């Protein structure tokens, strides 16, 4: 009888192990898919941040309006690519 219990115990242990592997695989796929969608958001926020810095520099008088317009156009061109 004890031999049967050991066999059953091993079977259920491997079942739990494979169940955990499946759950980890599902989590990995979800994280991987989310990471792909976040790259667009980060480039937009980076662009917005750069534009905010330009506005601050213009407000402080560090750059002229012409320089602001030129740099803003460069940022917009970079975002289109």
């Amino acid at each position: 009888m004890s031999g049967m219990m050991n066999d059953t115990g091993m079977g259920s242990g491997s079942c739990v192990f494979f169940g955990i592997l499946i759950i980890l695989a599902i989590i990995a796929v979800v994280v991987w898919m989310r990471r792909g969608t976040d790259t667009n958001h980060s480039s937009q926020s980076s662009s917005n941040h750069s534009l905010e810095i330009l506005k601050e520099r213009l407000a402080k008088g560090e750059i002229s309006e012409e320089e602001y317009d030129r740099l803003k156009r460069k940022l917009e061109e970079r975002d289109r690519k």
Side-chain angles (χ1 to χ4, degrees):
M1 264 217 182
S2 67
M4 289 174 59
M5 289 180 76
N6 285 340
D7 289 339
T8 306
M10 286 296 282
S12 64
S14 62
C15 225
V16 169
F17 176 74
F18 286 116
I20 291 172
L21 279 180
I22 290 172
I23 290 170
L24 290 175
I26 291 170
I27 291 171
V29 168
V30 169
V31 168
W32 177 72
M33 290 175 69
R34 294 264 314 151
R35 213 174 96 199
T37 60
D38 288 344
T39 56
N40 292 337
H41 296 292
S42 68
S43 70
Q44 286 177 348
S45 81
S46 172
S47 176
N48 290 339
H49 181 67
S50 299
L51 188 58
E52 289 301 315
I53 291 172
L54 275 180
K55 288 178 183 179
E56 288 176 20
R57 291 183 66 197
L58 178 64
K60 291 178 183 177
E62 295 176 359
I63 58 174
S64 66
E65 286 185 37
E66 292 81 17
E67 184 74 5
Y68 171 83
D69 290 336
R70 184 181 71 78
L71 292 171
K72 183 179 174 187
R73 278 193 304 273
K74 279 190 144 194
L75 285 173
E76 290 169 350
E77 288 172 11
R78 182 187 71 184
D79 290 342
R80 282 187 229 139
K81 292 182 181 179

